[in-house]
Amino acid sequence: RHHSLLCFAFFRCFPVITIAMSVPIYQGKTLNDPTLLKFVRKKQWRKARDLVSKDGASPYNAEVDRVMGNTPFPLHHLCRSVEFIDRLEDEEYSDEEDEIFSQAERRTNRETYKLAKHMILQSQTVEEAVFYPRSDLSQDYSGNFHLSILTVGDHSGNSPLHTLCSYSCDPTMMKIILENCTSEHVPIAPATALELLSYQNEQGCTPVHFLAEGCPFSSLKLAIQHCRPTDIDRAESCDARLIADEEGDLPLHWAFADAISPRRLRVLLDGCSESLFHINDKGDLPMDKFVTEHCDHWKFQDDDQKLDLWNQMQGMLKAVSGFQDDDGDTWSPLHAIASAVHFIPDLFWWIATEFSENGTYNSDGLLPLHVAVSTPPVEYQGSMESCYDPGRSLMKSILFNNLELVRQPTSQGRLALHLAAESQQPEWVVDTLRNAFPDALLEFDPVTGLSPFMLAAVEENNDLTTTYELLRADPSVLSARR
């Protein structure tokens, strides 16, 4: 058992599972007995449970000659075949057929749950199973050690949880997996729930990526509860929603590409809003995926199609901005877009202007222009260069289509140039506002009593270039009085 813990320490340091064409070994013997898998496929539940009770290593048995198949391990097969019964309500059956089918499926699911839990717990009672990357065992190859069947991947590196999330995403089976990562039989967890959700297959995808494409709402909520690091996780662990696949896509990229519902977006973003600012290898933010997949031909759509698209966009806007319809606040999509200027595609702005009136003040006495220029710049994450600014396009659209409004103050009398200087906007934003309304250089902010160049200078991490450019544009501000 001491040797097992040492092997476990090695596995915890290298948690990614990729065991393509691997061969399971237990106590020097190849686990190539398909008996348990045959019982599972034939739904011989009692025989399967009895075999697992007698031999805790039996869940590790794989059909080596069929290792390129989809379900070489018994638990993977269970995760693939389990049905989410509630979805039958959306399918077209007669009442009688639906009742018979549901009863049969429920009975099968109950047996599946019992067997799956039994497999998981029993696999944690035996010494570690070793998976070698080759079928030729005549030489001493290093292998991957597993203290639970939950950490074993199939030919694509998919763990049982991957398999479940790519098929029915049944919440009961997911709960069994996430809540039985360890048992009283082992002193240390073979893997925490967060690690199971963070494991990447050969394409770098986690189970959360598959969930983001669409799943039962209860399954998504359950998974997100375990996505954040806890005291039992390694210090370097991160939120599972911030793990990118081989193309740099987060689960949120997948969610927008699939246009999942606003309710699911809220759950996926809960406590993880920084995922909105992650750039993939192609330079796309998550919301860019929605435009690419669903808005390419919007100019050629008729009015009804445009309205449907706009209603879908509004749902997304409310989700990413945290707006609740029952809060009593007035919904203004242009203001919402302006407040999210750094991660929303500019197409949202152009479509919004077709359905909403620009130039109106919100309850805080701000125009969309004021909201945009007062939103501080952000730091993007991902593989692109740090100087890349995907939010520049939307900011330019808002600025150059609202230049006639730069003279309009907020309800407090502040100008757009005051707000931009105070929020440390890039130099090109400040220059655009200054050129559109040069007299603003001599206007003092009624809230702080400072001129634009002073506002740019006093803020933390101020840009001296912007400060001096504002001062050089009209040095007479030094002698100006309020």
Side-chain angles (χ1 to χ4, degrees):
R1 193 35 136 181
H2 294 296
H3 175 63
S4 300
L5 294 179
L6 289 174
C7 296
F8 162 71
F10 172 83
F11 171 73
R12 288 290 290 271
C13 293
F14 302 91
V16 177
I17 306 173
T18 53
I19 58 166
M21 295 296 293
S22 58
V23 179
I25 306 296
Y26 176 67
Q27 294 183 345
K29 298 180 181 179
T30 301
L31 294 176
N32 188 26
D33 183 357
T35 303
L36 179 58
L37 187 57
K38 289 180 179 178
F39 288 159
V40 169
R41 286 172 173 163
K42 294 179 180 180
K43 299 181 181 180
Q44 296 176 336
W45 308 115
R46 179 172 296 180
K47 290 183 178 180
R49 286 196 299 272
D50 290 344
L51 177 58
V52 173
S53 297
K54 294 177 182 178
D55 182 8
S58 58
Y60 293 105
N61 275 282
E63 290 183 296
V64 176
D65 56 336
R66 294 187 59 185
V67 76
M68 290 303 292
N70 290 323
T71 54
F73 296 97
L75 186 57
H76 286 76
H77 181 85
L78 290 178
C79 290
R80 184 184 183 187
S81 60
V82 67
E83 291 284 353
F84 179 45
I85 299 299
D86 291 345
R87 74 182 179 87
L88 296 178
E89 298 174 1
D90 299 327
E91 297 177 351
E92 296 181 358
Y93 294 98
S94 66
D95 294 339
E96 182 177 355
E97 289 175 338
D98 182 60
E99 181 179 356
I100 296 174
F101 187 68
S102 296
Q103 288 178 352
E105 286 297 322
R106 291 180 190 280
R107 185 164 52 252
T108 299
N109 274 12
R110 285 195 297 269
E111 295 293 343
T112 299
Y113 300 147
K114 290 166 58 177
L115 180 57
K117 183 176 180 179
H118 194 46
M119 282 186 188
I120 293 169
L121 296 180
Q122 287 298 106
S123 73
Q124 297 169 0
T125 63
V126 299
E127 293 186 12
E128 72 281 350
V130 185
F131 287 75
Y132 286 91
R134 304 185 186 183
S135 57
D136 181 6
L137 305 178
S138 60
Q139 302 183 41
D140 184 19
Y141 298 111
S142 61
N144 296 320
F145 300 90
H146 298 278
L147 296 176
S148 171
I149 190 61
L150 292 177
T151 63
V152 175
D154 63 9
H155 70 288
S156 296
N158 288 323
S159 67
L161 187 57
H162 279 95
T163 303
L164 177 66
C165 294
S166 62
Y167 283 89
S168 69
C169 306
D170 179 68
T172 304
M173 179 67 89
M174 183 178 295
K175 186 175 182 180
I176 289 173
I177 290 176
L178 295 178
E179 294 184 357
N180 290 280
C181 302
T182 186
S183 70
E184 58 187 13
H185 301 289
V186 291
I188 305 177
T192 65
L194 173 61
E195 286 174 336
L196 292 181
L197 289 165
S198 301
Y199 285 149
Q200 296 172 272
N201 63 14
E202 290 187 347
Q203 289 73 45
C205 304
T206 67
V208 187
H209 281 89
F210 296 145
L211 289 173
E213 284 190 302
C215 66
F217 185 69
S218 54
S219 299
L220 183 62
K221 286 187 65 176
L222 175 62
I224 298 305
Q225 290 174 6
H226 295 279
C227 278
R228 304 179 187 91
T230 63
D231 294 339
I232 64 174
D233 291 298
R234 292 174 291 129
E236 64 272 20
S237 298
C238 71
D239 195 304
R241 291 168 289 181
L242 297 176
I243 298 177
D245 63 17
E246 64 181 7
E247 295 182 352
D249 287 335
L250 297 183
L252 192 61
H253 285 87
W254 288 40
F256 279 110
D258 203 64
I260 67 170
S261 67
R263 185 171 71 145
R264 286 169 171 77
L265 272 180
R266 291 181 188 274
V267 174
L268 198 57
L269 287 168
D270 184 26
C272 194
S273 58
E274 60 266 38
S275 58
L276 287 164
F277 304 98
H278 186 96
I279 308 171
N280 68 9
D281 294 350
K282 295 181 179 179
D284 293 329
L285 290 169
M287 293 191 73
D288 292 327
K289 287 285 192 176
F290 175 78
V291 172
T292 302
E293 298 293 334
H294 304 280
C295 306
D296 277 351
H297 306 292
W298 76 276
K299 289 185 178 180
F300 307 102
Q301 295 178 341
D302 58 36
D303 292 342
D304 290 339
Q305 290 174 322
K306 284 187 177 181
L307 181 59
D308 289 342
L309 178 62
W310 172 232
N311 288 334
Q312 188 177 18
M313 285 181 163
Q314 286 196 89
M316 291 182 175
L317 286 173
K318 291 178 180 180
V320 300
S321 63
F323 181 86
Q324 298 287 349
D325 290 320
D326 54 0
D327 284 346
D329 295 333
T330 302
W331 168 243
S332 174
L334 291 175
H335 288 85
I337 294 172
S339 67
V341 65
H342 300 299
F343 62 83
I344 287 186
D346 60 348
L347 182 62
F348 275 69
W349 174 265
W350 294 115
I351 295 182
T353 55
E354 292 191 16
F355 295 93
S356 304
E357 184 179 352
N358 196 9
T360 58
Y361 287 84
N362 63 7
S363 57
D364 296 324
L366 301 175
L367 295 170
L369 173 65
H370 297 141
V371 175
V373 299
S374 62
T375 303
V378 299
E379 291 186 7
Y380 294 98
Q381 304 296 324
S383 58
M384 302 296 291
E385 297 180 0
S386 59
C387 62
Y388 175 68
D389 182 9
R392 181 184 179 99
S393 179
L394 177 55
M395 180 68 85
K396 289 177 67 176
S397 296
I398 295 176
L399 284 178
F400 292 115
N401 287 274
N402 287 275
L403 290 180
E404 73 280 2
L405 299 177
V406 297
R407 299 173 182 268
Q408 299 294 323
T410 68
S411 59
Q412 294 180 310
R414 310 185 80 184
L415 296 173
L417 187 58
H418 294 132
L419 300 173
E422 184 180 55
S423 62
Q424 300 293 299
Q425 292 296 332
E427 184 180 353
W428 71 270
V429 174
V430 175
D431 287 345
T432 301
L433 295 172
R434 173 176 61 83
N435 293 330
F437 185 30
D439 291 347
L441 292 167
L442 302 177
E443 295 288 337
F444 288 88
D445 179 14
V447 174
T448 63
L450 303 176
S451 64
F453 97 88
M454 295 177 182
L455 285 169
V458 299
E459 294 297 323
E460 289 188 29
N461 303 318
N462 60 78
D463 183 357
L464 292 179
T465 301
T466 300
T467 303
Y468 285 120
E469 286 297 326
L470 287 171
L471 183 57
R472 289 177 59 191
D474 195 342
S476 65
V477 68
L478 294 174
S479 58
R481 296 182 180 181
R482 293 192 58 184

